[in-house]
Amino acid sequence: MAVTHPVGRNAASRKYDILTALGALALSQDKSAQRLTLRLMTLITARYNWRNDELIVGRVEMARLWCVDERTVKREMAKLKAMGWIEVKRAGARGRITTYRMMLDRILDDTRVAWANVGPDFEARLSLETEAPQPATGQGAIVAFPGAKQVPAPDVSSGDPWALAAGMLHGDDPQSYGAWIAPLTHHDTRGEVMMLMAPSRFHASYVQTHLLRKIERAVRSLDVDVSRVAVLFPEG
């Protein structure tokens, strides 16, 4: 799918198409998914800069707009990042708010199942506009290497801290996630320690050596009461 950001001559209709697709998908989902999508749509309508491809809104302002507390804002934004619908364009720093961008390719791909609910004209138009260009004759096509298994992103609808963290890690590096993080399961959380279970001693050792800091950063970013992650493995 090849989608350009809505600027220029057809920008207005493109924006409405994206919002319509999001709304149609939300109406076909449960209340939790509807609420999350409505919150994103409100942010897009109120604060998204389409020309610069930027969403710059602080957590306090989001909390006021959504009528929730800042902890909920953190969790909802973590869900959207885990779903691949937004990504950080510029990380926040002292005196500067984090800047996000909308991942329109992913949003349109995920809403495709609801296009027909709007009408056949809407579905046909978006299908035509988002169709990936075919390679020119003689140039060949991109072929995936054998064994390069694509693991889908985890379900983040439950809001479970480990599911959200795993979703963020999948978005950062799908290959590393598929090989090393997807097999991890949430074993228990005791106090400030989240315990994950690896399928083997070797797997646990690799994760502890190469990925533990990255996993801990993802977990802490969700504002849960966890300061450390431990990776366990089955005995015997």
Side-chain angles (χ1 to χ4, degrees):
M1 180 180 291
V3 179
T4 57
H5 291 283
V7 293
R9 186 174 181 181
N10 298 318
S13 61
R14 192 72 170 136
K15 295 172 188 176
Y16 283 122
D17 283 347
I18 292 167
L19 291 170
T20 299
L22 281 168
L25 178 69
L27 291 170
S28 69
Q29 304 296 308
D30 60 29
K31 290 183 179 180
S32 177
Q34 287 179 359
R35 186 167 52 244
L36 178 61
T37 306
L38 176 60
R39 286 169 175 166
L40 176 62
M41 291 172 67
T42 306
L43 274 184
I44 292 173
T45 306
R47 290 289 182 262
Y48 196 64
N49 186 323
W50 293 95
R51 181 175 296 278
N52 295 335
D53 185 21
E54 291 181 341
L55 175 65
I56 309 176
V57 189
R59 284 200 298 269
V60 173
E61 188 177 358
M62 284 191 213
R64 183 173 62 249
L65 179 63
W66 292 352
C67 299
V68 298
D69 56 29
E70 291 184 51
R71 184 183 181 90
T72 300
V73 169
K74 273 195 170 185
R75 295 180 70 84
E76 294 287 74
M77 292 300 283
K79 286 183 183 180
L80 292 169
K81 285 188 284 185
M83 292 163 63
W85 284 13
I86 65 172
E87 74 171 14
V88 174
K89 186 175 182 180
R90 288 190 300 274
R94 185 175 300 176
R96 188 179 68 191
I97 297 172
T98 299
T99 302
Y100 299 94
R101 67 159 54 93
M102 304 298 305
M103 306 305 291
L104 299 184
D105 284 355
R106 180 62 180 270
I107 288 173
L108 287 174
D109 194 42
D110 287 351
T111 59
R112 184 182 292 272
V113 295
W115 293 355
N117 296 349
V118 181
D121 57 332
F122 183 84
E123 182 179 27
R125 186 174 72 255
L126 278 194
S127 296
L128 181 63
E129 292 177 0
T130 58
E131 185 176 354
Q134 299 298 316
T137 303
Q139 291 184 350
I142 298 174
V143 179
F145 287 103
K149 184 179 180 181
Q150 294 295 322
V151 176
D155 180 8
V156 299
S157 60
S158 66
D160 175 74
W162 172 239
L164 291 175
M168 293 173 64
L169 292 163
H170 177 277
D172 289 342
D173 187 349
Q175 287 191 331
S176 177
Y177 170 86
W180 299 104
I181 297 173
L184 301 176
T185 58
H186 182 220
H187 178 69
D188 195 7
T189 298
R190 297 179 184 174
E192 299 180 348
V193 182
M194 176 182 285
M195 288 172 279
L196 304 176
M197 181 64 70
S200 67
R201 179 191 293 268
F202 172 78
H203 197 111
S205 177
Y206 183 93
V207 170
Q208 287 174 336
T209 302
H210 300 284
L211 299 172
L212 189 59
R213 289 185 180 180
K214 189 174 183 179
I215 292 172
E216 287 181 335
R217 283 196 301 269
V219 172
R220 289 171 184 160
S221 72
L222 302 174
D223 197 27
V224 297
D225 299 325
V226 173
S227 61
R228 187 166 66 88
V229 174
V231 184
L232 312 178
F233 55 89
E235 297 291 343

